[in-house]
Amino acid sequence: MAAFEHTNGFKIIQQWMTDKGISPFKFQTDTWKKFGSGYSGMVVAPTGFGKTFSVFLALVSDFLNHPEQYKKGLKMLWITPLRSLSKDIAKAMQEAIDEIGLDWAVGVRNGDTDPKVRQQQVKKMPDILVVTPESVHLLLAQKNHESFFRDMKCVVVDEWHELLGSKRGVMVELGISQLRKYVPKLKIWGITATIGNLDEAMEVLIPYDIKKTKIAAKEHKKIEIIPVFPNEIEILPWAGHLGHKLADKVVPIILESKSTIVFTNTRSQSEMWYQLLLDAHPDFAGQIAIHHSSIDAHLRIWIEENLSSGKLKAVVSTSSLDLGIDFKPVDTVIQIGSAKGVARFLQRAGRSGHSPFETSRIYCVPTHSLELIEVSALKEAVRQKVVEPREPQVLCFDVLVQFLMTLAVGDGFYPDETYERIKKVYAFQEMTDEEWKSILEFLTIGGSVLKNYEEFHKIVVMEDGLYKVTSRKIAMLHRMNMGVIVSDAMLKVKFISGGYVGMIEEYFISKLKKKKNLFSPDVPLKWR
């Protein structure tokens, strides 16, 4: 470590941190050193301890030490599971880069990104690009996409514990396998909070025979878990998921706090709790907001900015605010009902007191009697540091078929070379030759069942053996429908005057009951 501490890169970063009144944790400096030595790896640290800066500043440090090894263009691809994370991460990175004195640009690319910005990125990639798994695959579906990644040094997967165990995680695995084709010496780094199967998590992300390391923070986050009980336990039902009986208990908690996030598990529950809080305390009008992925992107960004600045008293949210966003004014988190796991509970608790030296305070509001037992079990699990594992998905052939279509829509692929590469991906190590053959048949002739239907003959085999999509219509449909999250039928919600509110599930609308308009009691609500 002594030699590394005398490098130019380390001195510049240390001086930057000193000017801000902070100093690096050991897990951060360990990451910088290992990155500079050519390692890939996994960083494990509690929420709020600077996991982002551990890997991001490792790249900056390596560049400052070896600028001759870097070229103009994309240097790091930062994959994050949620769109709402991207803007905050990019902002923090750009501020650090500007203050350190580099002329790098940090870009964001996801479903909320303006099409003009996306076109500019294709012409000239930023130095660091923050993306979702779906956006990585959309980049791979571009013509001549290899040029985007040719000089890249590192791919980082943020909040890997959230992606592991899902098909989006398999998308990440496949995306990295393709990037390694273009950059054989690509460094792969994962960032995760506490997880029960850490060694397996690293093996899933980095199954390759390369130098890799695991770096875990020794620091622990202080968490205060406070159950919210009714005056009489008997008033809690034995089933249900709303918890509205305790709304009067939640209002004083919000009033006593600077800023609060109220977490719910479903969009419908978040909508209902937003209304319950307004009914219980009408003065909350204009002081509280609701946040979930169906709300219009511009409104979501406004909510995030006002929560971050402390202007909002509370936000009722689903998992859309679970991860990584640094909301310093938030000093209290309220969990309505079950958190569905210790890891998620710790993640949500970490939204309050988002710094290493503050205590995270989370109130648990049971929606029915049995959840009182769950709150007790959660407290014991946190005390004993027991976190459940995330089981990785394997042999997800639907994701693989989509990935191969993505490659075929882009520059095409050669099956033998691609098969050899995909067999190294953790999710497909057990795939057989027969299964691979049937996948290729499905993509080219629709398989044995659909071979007589021309619309299922999507990929054409070229004379040199290249598998490629030649139909512009098929290519366009694939790019527009890429993803592994199956959505419900959605409807646009607008004011009668024309203003756009957002999207909402059709099934949720079908369950709504007619009620007076709370904003204008004499005017009934209308849906169209």
Side-chain angles (χ1 to χ4, degrees):
M1 180 65 75
F4 174 73
E5 287 176 344
H6 288 92
T7 61
N8 186 47
F10 180 81
K11 289 178 180 177
I12 291 172
I13 290 173
Q14 190 176 44
Q15 184 60 51
W16 170 72
M17 296 184 91
T18 301
D19 293 343
K20 295 179 76 68
I22 57 177
S23 58
F25 290 105
K26 186 177 183 298
F27 80 88
Q28 293 175 321
T29 55
D30 287 348
T31 305
W32 304 344
K33 182 181 179 183
K34 288 293 185 180
F35 187 100
S37 300
Y39 278 81
S40 295
M42 185 77 70
V43 176
V44 191
T47 298
F49 277 75
K51 296 191 296 291
T52 300
F53 281 166
S54 65
V55 185
F56 158 62
L57 289 179
L59 177 80
V60 175
S61 171
D62 191 56
F63 170 79
L64 293 170
N65 289 332
H66 308 286
E68 74 282 354
Q69 296 179 9
Y70 286 75
K71 297 180 181 178
K72 288 185 177 181
L74 186 63
K75 299 170 179 63
M76 175 182 278
L77 193 67
W78 192 282
I79 302 174
T80 178
L82 289 179
R83 287 178 296 182
S84 56
L85 279 173
S86 304
K87 181 174 172 288
D88 199 68
I89 289 171
K91 182 182 177 183
M93 288 179 176
Q94 191 67 65
E95 284 179 359
I97 285 168
D98 294 342
E99 290 169 2
I100 289 170
L102 296 177
D103 61 350
W104 289 6
V106 181
V108 173
R109 189 182 182 94
N110 55 45
D112 290 342
T113 307
D114 189 282
K116 290 181 181 177
V117 175
R118 290 184 216 166
Q119 290 174 5
Q120 291 169 359
Q121 289 171 349
V122 169
K123 293 175 183 176
K124 184 184 178 182
M125 275 286 172
D127 297 274
I128 298 173
L129 186 62
V130 184
V131 295
T132 56
E134 291 78 11
S135 297
V136 176
H137 283 237
L138 279 166
L139 283 171
L140 295 175
Q142 298 270 354
K143 302 292 183 186
N144 303 314
H145 61 261
E146 183 179 349
S147 61
F148 304 156
F149 310 109
R150 194 177 292 124
D151 300 315
M152 191 168 65
K153 295 291 183 181
C154 179
V155 58
V156 182
V157 184
D158 202 358
E159 308 289 359
W160 175 234
H161 58 281
E162 281 294 317
L163 290 166
L164 181 67
S166 71
K167 289 185 177 181
R168 297 181 80 213
V170 178
M171 287 183 79
V172 170
E173 295 176 56
L174 288 168
I176 290 174
S177 75
Q178 189 67 19
L179 295 175
R180 288 188 79 246
K181 176 190 175 185
Y182 308 139
V183 188
K185 293 184 179 180
L186 182 70
K187 294 171 187 171
I188 306 164
W189 281 86
I191 298 176
T192 181
T194 308
I195 190 171
N197 53 334
L198 180 59
D199 291 334
E200 185 179 33
M202 186 168 81
E203 186 59 30
V204 173
L205 184 64
I206 319 170
Y208 309 105
D209 186 19
I210 57 177
K211 291 199 298 183
K212 51 191 170 185
T213 184
K214 177 176 63 179
I215 299 173
K218 290 187 169 67
E219 294 80 9
H220 297 289
K221 182 72 173 169
K222 294 178 183 177
I223 298 176
E224 186 181 359
I225 302 170
I226 308 167
V228 177
F229 298 112
N231 294 331
E232 298 176 5
I233 297 294
E234 290 76 13
I235 71 168
L236 276 178
W238 285 101
H241 73 284
L242 297 181
H244 61 275
K245 298 277 186 185
L246 290 172
D248 290 336
K249 295 282 186 182
V250 171
V251 170
I253 297 171
I254 296 174
L255 291 173
E256 290 166 11
S257 305
K258 291 180 184 176
S259 188
T260 303
I261 300 179
V262 181
F263 279 113
T264 61
N265 291 323
T266 63
R267 293 174 197 174
S268 59
Q269 192 181 28
S270 68
E271 299 274 358
M272 291 172 184
W273 260 91
Y274 175 75
Q275 200 61 60
L276 282 170
L277 291 173
L278 282 175
D279 290 346
H281 190 75
D283 287 348
F284 277 151
Q287 295 185 67
I288 67 173
I290 186 168
H291 189 289
H292 55 65
S293 56
S294 292
I295 290 175
D296 182 46
H298 296 293
L299 186 54
R300 283 204 312 272
I301 291 168
W302 180 88
I303 292 167
E304 290 162 16
E305 287 175 348
N306 281 272
L307 180 61
S308 188
S309 65
K311 291 179 181 177
L312 283 173
K313 190 69 177 170
V315 171
V316 185
S317 173
T318 59
S319 58
S320 57
L321 288 182
D322 263 7
L323 306 173
I325 302 176
D326 185 5
F327 294 130
K328 291 201 188 306
V330 173
D331 56 353
T332 300
V333 167
I334 299 171
Q335 170 65 47
I336 307 295
S338 170
K340 308 296 183 186
V342 181
R344 171 161 285 184
F345 179 81
L346 291 172
Q347 191 79 52
R348 290 182 171 181
R351 296 302 101 224
S352 70
H354 197 269
S355 89
F357 311 108
E358 294 181 43
T359 298
S360 293
R361 189 181 297 112
I362 182 167
Y363 289 84
C364 299
V365 180
T367 58
H368 55 76
S369 299
L370 293 177
E371 282 183 349
L372 292 170
I373 301 171
E374 185 171 329
V375 173
S376 177
L378 270 172
K379 291 184 73 171
E380 185 63 19
V382 171
R383 188 182 69 81
Q384 296 188 19
K385 299 180 176 61
V386 176
V387 180
E388 69 274 79
R390 300 286 178 99
E391 296 299 327
Q393 298 243 3
V394 295
L395 300 178
C396 304
F397 293 126
D398 54 340
V399 184
L400 179 56
V401 166
Q402 180 181 252
F403 173 68
L404 294 173
M405 270 296 294
T406 298
L407 297 184
V409 165
D411 295 325
F413 67 92
Y414 291 98
D416 292 344
E417 178 265 336
T418 304
Y419 179 54
E420 185 180 336
R421 193 168 63 255
I422 287 174
K423 281 283 284 182
K424 294 177 183 176
V425 173
Y426 184 92
F428 299 102
Q429 288 176 350
E430 302 299 322
M431 182 172 59
T432 65
D433 294 352
E434 290 74 21
E435 288 167 337
W436 175 252
K437 183 181 176 182
S438 65
I439 286 171
L440 293 179
E441 285 183 353
F442 176 76
L443 287 166
T444 51
I445 61 171
S448 58
V449 177
L450 302 169
K451 62 183 179 182
N452 294 324
Y453 298 89
E454 203 169 302
E455 61 266 33
F456 290 98
H457 301 184
K458 297 179 184 290
I459 292 179
V460 176
V461 183
M462 313 300 282
E463 289 183 6
D464 61 350
L466 182 72
Y467 279 50
K468 191 168 178 60
V469 169
T470 56
S471 167
R472 291 183 65 183
K473 180 182 177 182
I474 290 174
M476 182 183 69
L477 285 171
H478 179 72
R479 290 190 181 103
M480 289 177 65
N481 293 285
M482 197 179 294
V484 293
I485 301 174
V486 180
S487 299
D488 296 299
M490 303 289 283
L491 297 173
K492 284 186 176 181
V493 180
K494 292 185 176 182
F495 291 110
I496 293 175
S497 59
Y500 177 58
V501 180
M503 305 286 288
I504 196 165
E505 296 94 334
E506 189 174 5
Y507 85 89
F508 181 62
I509 292 235
S510 68
K511 291 183 177 181
L512 288 178
K513 293 178 181 176
K514 196 170 183 180
K515 192 175 181 181
K516 283 186 177 180
N517 188 337
L518 293 167
F519 302 102
S520 303
D522 298 329
V523 182
L525 285 170
K526 293 182 181 179
W527 298 94
R528 68 176 184 181

